[in-house]
Amino acid sequence: MTLRHSFIFDEQVGSTNARAAELLQTQKLPEGTVVYTNAQTAGVGLGENKWLSEPGKNITASVVLYPDFLPAEEQFKLTMVISVSVCNMLESLDSIFKPQIKWPNDIYLNHRKVAGMLIKNNISGNTIAQTIAGLGLNVNQTKFDSRAPLAISLAMISGRQYSIPDLLTKWHAALDHAYDLLQTGKDQELEQAYLSRFYRLNQWANYTIHGENLRARITGIGEYGMLQLTGEDERKFSCGLKEVVFER
């Protein structure tokens, strides 16, 4: 199935996720509809994190999906779809971009954060009736707030400026491909594409796991998208959100 090439633009919104949810209260948007804005005044990430973006410089967008074929307990696969689509889009732009996926929802370039996502699922019975997947991608901004010390943009790496509408079109095409893998049961291919770009996979590094500081290596993801790690003492850990901190 091909996602509808449908875009809805607002000059300014609180958040594109909230705007998409508002629109869905009165209409069923075609699957694949992207809601985007030049200025997002109340962008959010996971938990209490804020997404800070200079107006007109970056991608602040949300896509609407209806993955009613997907069991609710497999909803992390949607995070894989969005992550892989962003990586594919970045790699298609320039070979200088070598994106990595930092669990659970960030995209890194050169060990710094270039993108984040926030996915909201509406569960109906045992399946996912509706998904709003928000994406923030730093594109042409070159100076960032001190509250985002690890932020980087495409322009900071390449020295080039990019057309936001063109990038949105490229992302939509990459999303169509990644989502099709999920729809057609090619879960292993999707997971391979996800793990092949996994940040720190099988590399020893410092973490705080369940409040304990230790060296460990990421070995993959487990049930429900839990992060799997093995410590230097061979202890194995399965971590959910807020149970592991990546130390520098």
Side-chain angles (χ1 to χ4, degrees), residues 83-93 99 174 177-178 193 197:
S83 300
V84 167
S85 72
V86 175
C87 289
N88 282 343
M89 184 268 285
L90 293 176
E91 290 166 352
S92 74
L93 293 178
H177 174 72
R197 299 161 170 114

Side-chain angles (χ1 to χ4, degrees), residues 1-234:
M1 176 179 177
T2 301
L3 296 177
R4 276 286 297 275
H5 197 269
S6 177
F7 293 84
I8 297 174
F9 173 74
D10 287 286
E11 181 62 35
Q12 177 176 301
V13 298
S15 81
T16 56
N17 269 23
R19 177 58 176 152
E22 178 186 5
L23 290 170
L24 285 165
Q25 289 180 357
T26 58
Q27 58 186 301
K28 183 170 182 177
L29 300 173
E31 186 169 41
T33 296
V34 173
V35 177
Y36 72 105
T37 184
N38 276 340
Q40 186 170 247
T41 60
V44 296
L46 284 179
E48 298 180 355
N49 296 333
K50 305 297 181 184
W51 185 263
L52 306 173
S53 179
E54 186 178 343
K57 296 285 188 177
N58 308 309
I59 286 179
T60 44
S62 298
V63 64
V64 176
L65 302 171
Y66 303 109
D68 53 7
F69 58 89
L70 189 66
E73 63 269 20
E74 296 181 16
Q75 59 188 282
F76 188 79
K77 290 179 180 178
L78 292 165
T79 297
M80 295 169 63
V81 165
I82 305 300
S83 300
V84 167
S85 72
V86 175
C87 289
N88 282 343
M89 184 268 285
L90 293 176
E91 290 166 352
S92 74
L93 293 178
D94 196 316
S95 60
I96 196 174
F97 298 134
K98 302 185 186 304
Q100 291 187 294
I101 300 165
K102 178 179 175 287
W103 184 91
N105 68 330
D106 293 336
I107 307 297
Y108 270 32
L109 288 173
N110 299 354
H111 299 280
R112 297 172 68 180
K113 183 174 178 176
V114 73
M117 61 198 71
L118 182 65
I119 300 176
K120 297 291 189 180
N121 295 314
N122 183 353
I123 309 297
S124 178
N126 297 321
T127 62
I128 301 171
Q130 172 187 293
T131 294
I132 301 174
L135 171 67
L137 173 66
N138 298 328
V139 180
N140 295 320
Q141 185 171 342
T142 56
K143 294 183 180 179
F144 290 90
D145 191 284
S146 60
R147 289 170 289 177
L150 289 180
I152 199 169
S153 69
L154 304 188
M156 290 169 67
I157 295 174
S158 71
R160 295 171 51 198
Q161 293 287 298
Y162 298 86
S163 161
I164 301 300
D166 284 353
L167 292 188
L168 281 169
T169 298
K170 291 179 185 297
W171 175 51
H172 194 276
L175 177 62
D176 193 6
H177 174 72
Y179 190 56
D180 184 67
L181 293 179
L182 187 62
Q183 284 182 305
T184 56
K186 298 176 182 176
D187 297 32
Q188 289 187 337
E189 187 174 340
L190 175 64
E191 184 171 334
Q192 182 180 9
Y194 180 80
L195 291 176
S196 68
R197 299 161 170 114
F198 216 39
Y199 183 64
R200 289 188 181 178
L201 182 65
N202 292 319
Q203 299 175 14
W204 292 106
N206 296 319
Y207 299 90
T208 300
I209 301 176
H210 303 303
E212 179 183 355
N213 297 319
L214 50 83
R215 284 185 64 78
R217 60 184 177 88
I218 295 171
T219 58
I221 54 172
E223 194 174 20
Y224 311 122
M226 301 279 277
L227 187 66
Q228 308 296 299
L229 304 100
T230 298
E232 286 186 318
D233 57 5
E234 295 303 319

